[in-house]
Amino acid sequence: MAVHITLPESRKKSAAPDAPKHLVTPGDVITTDTGYMRGHGTYMDDDKLKASLAGVVERVNKLICVQPLKTRYNGEIGDVVVGRVTEVGQRRWRVDVNSRLDAVLMLSAVNLPGGELRRRSAEDELMMREYLVEGDLISAEVQAIFHDGALSLHTRSLKYGKLAQGLMVQVSPSLVKRRKTHFHNLPCGASVILGNNGYVWICPTVDDEKVESSGGYEQDLEPVPSTDREVIARLRNCILSLATHKLMLYDTSVLYAYEASRQYQVKDLLQPDIAEKVADDTRQRLQMESG
Amino acid sequence: MSSTLGVLSDAERLFIVHGVQDDLRSDGRACEDYRHVQVETDVVSNTSGSARLRLGNTDILVGVKAEMGEPDPGRPKEGKLEFFVDCSANASPEFEGRGGEELAIEVSNALQRIFNSRSTLDLTALCIIPEGQCWVLYVDVLVLECGGNLFDAVSLAVKAALFNTRIPTVVVTADDEGQQEIELSDDPYDVKRLDVDNVPLIVTLSKIGHRHVVDASWEEELCSLARLTVGVTQKGTIAGLNKEGSGSLDPESIYEMIESGKKVGMVLNSRLKEALEKEENSKREKIGFLG
């Protein structure tokens, strides 16, 4: 039995990890130079470019954007997302992906069980609840963005589809680093899907052949062995400690945090001081490698 | 966007249930482990006593206000405690409008129930003039964030706020005609405090699968059909007991649950006392809400 009650600690000012970023709050003047283009999170006022969000200023050539730290997910085509089905409707599922509007997964945008390629019939429509019901978690890719900002998803690849046993954690979408791949089979014995929308899925490693033979619809409902479960729990706590200390999430940072956490017990990682140590160790190691 | 709180997929639920069976929960805790608790008192200046408490993601603010009023006719020599719980819509989108009302009433009833026992708090100390005037303590609970295990967090915060409560000293004088007059001390530091040693804490035990857990996260709460809320004092006596949820419980498992509730509750009581005394004896600066 473990019960820890402490007093809150004031936030320490971390020694500036890298060059000071250009941080702004809403209304701050970013530039008075008129030669720049107005991007997301900015507006023009009296010929001055001002920030409408609190975050980091990012510049691509002449385009200036503000990337907020706390935000809902703004989807982009090709993003990998993890989402939860909230509604089964006419030829579509509604999926919560942490954006302002629920995303849509059309029946025509999924692989049918068995990998059949054909027009979707009325029977398929009636069978929709057999594939995905409310509460189910899926991984998917953003296919298109509607004019109102809602996302259209697709799962037309074997790597996407319904998720089986494992757990989901939620972090800020701005903390997920964009990479070539967001599916990682980590060497520590678990798989992680770092959804661009800030939903992170951690599950026991599945071998790809099994998935291909079942078309991604069969779920393994056997109990997960304790050793795998411990790895998953440790990864969960590591990812959350990285997120609370505002470190970017990608395969290397997650793995380094996992290694830094090895000296502690899994449940001890829930304590703020130990979580901070793990995040600090990870930050130092990443900095050393980068330069 | 709709909230994802409230539904889990079958596979996720299975993962949690198997984890509880293995005594290794999703975040690495064992069945009788609490999440990390952070508590700070005296955070709202215009109250007689206040506390803010975080238990995992659950965030509670409690303010106690002492006012003079008339005692209950049935208990003329005792003061009164009035509980009011507000589940703000900030805590969860489900609380919007009147959505949180039912839960709020449930929580305040639970508090009323455990404070009803005369051995918990000496209410006669709140009496000013028998059958005439008494102190009424208005205990206002504000739920700022809801991350599971609301009852336990609220009771911890209420106890911390009552520990922090300072009631001005009053002197009752009788004039020649036998009229009684109440005189408030001029010195703002001339106060009396409540003896909260016997105030009980609520321990919620959730039945998941064949076992029970303490301090369930919101995911775990969704997997549990039956819960037992036990009010436990520092000495290990039970001040209140309630079964909640749609499921049923075996009398034998109820006994087991009460036993472990008692065990955990006693530790919880003593740890809270240690933390509160430590805070009082140290000259630390208040962190408040900007920490």
Side-chain angles (χ1 to χ4, degrees), chain A residues 8, chain B residues 35 37-44 50-63 84-88 91 95 103-104 107 111 139-161 288-289:
Chain B
R35 283 172 291 178
V37 181
Q38 281 191 330
V39 66
E40 187 172 35
T41 59
D42 204 16
V43 284
V44 187
S50 60
R52 187 194 183 204
L53 183 125
R54 275 192 79 92
L55 168 66
N57 275 339
T58 308
D59 203 338
I60 310 285
L61 177 68
V62 174
F84 179 75
V85 181
D86 182 13
C87 296
S88 76
F95 295 160
L103 183 67
V107 176
L111 287 171
V139 181
D140 295 313
V141 179
L142 184 62
V143 181
L144 298 171
E145 200 178 334
C146 205
N149 204 13
L150 193 60
F151 286 81
D152 299 21
V154 168
S155 77
L156 276 165
V158 166
K159 185 166 179 176
F289 292 89

Side-chain angles (χ1 to χ4, degrees), chain B residues 108-161:
Chain B
S108 64
N109 284 346
L111 287 171
Q112 203 85 53
R113 197 180 313 121
I114 60 165
F115 276 92
N116 234 342
S117 160
R118 290 191 185 209
S119 59
T120 56
L121 193 67
D122 183 20
L123 291 175
T124 52
L126 297 175
C127 177
I128 304 168
I129 305 168
E131 290 173 52
Q133 290 283 314
C134 71
W135 286 110
V136 183
L137 297 184
Y138 292 97
V139 181
D140 295 313
V141 179
L142 184 62
V143 181
L144 298 171
E145 200 178 334
C146 205
N149 204 13
L150 193 60
F151 286 81
D152 299 21
V154 168
S155 77
L156 276 165
V158 166
K159 185 166 179 176

Side-chain angles (χ1 to χ4, degrees), chain B residues 178-218:
Chain B
Q179 284 281 46
Q180 286 179 312
E181 242 171 55
I182 299 169
E183 209 175 305
L184 198 67
S185 170
D186 292 329
D187 181 7
Y189 293 100
D190 184 11
V191 289
K192 65 176 181 186
R193 301 184 55 177
L194 296 164
D195 177 21
V196 294
D197 274 355
N198 286 325
V199 169
L201 292 174
I202 299 178
V203 178
T204 307
L205 299 125
S206 313
K207 189 91 181 165
I208 297 175
H210 298 298
R211 295 185 71 151
H212 55 261
V213 299
V214 299
D215 189 24
S217 61
W218 69 265

Side-chain angles (χ1 to χ4, degrees), chain A residues 167 169 186 188-190 192 202-203 226-242 253-270 274-275 278, chain B residues 15 24-29:
Chain A
L167 60 90
V169 285
L186 298 177
C188 52
V192 175
I202 314 167
C203 62
S226 268
T227 44
D228 283 3
R229 197 177 285 282
E230 201 184 317
V231 171
I232 291 171
R234 189 180 286 275
L235 274 173
R236 171 198 182 271
N237 294 350
C238 286
I239 288 173
L240 283 177
S241 57
L242 290 182
S253 70
V254 172
L255 208 58
Y256 284 0
Y258 183 86
E259 278 163 21
S261 79
R262 290 281 280 273
Q263 50 176 316
Y264 305 106
Q265 278 203 315
V266 180
K267 65 180 172 195
D268 290 342
L269 297 173
L270 295 173
I274 292 180
V278 169
Chain B
F15 184 79
L24 183 65
R25 301 206 246 162
S26 300
D27 48 8
R29 284 184 292 156

Side-chain angles (χ1 to χ4, degrees), chain A residues 2-3 8 11 84 96 229, chain B residues 4 12 15 33 36 271 284 291:
Chain A
V3 179
R11 205 178 302 164
R84 195 186 291 280
D96 166 45
R229 197 177 285 282
Chain B
T4 52
E12 270 178 290
F15 184 79
D33 287 340
H36 190 85
R271 294 281 154 79
R284 60 196 282 282

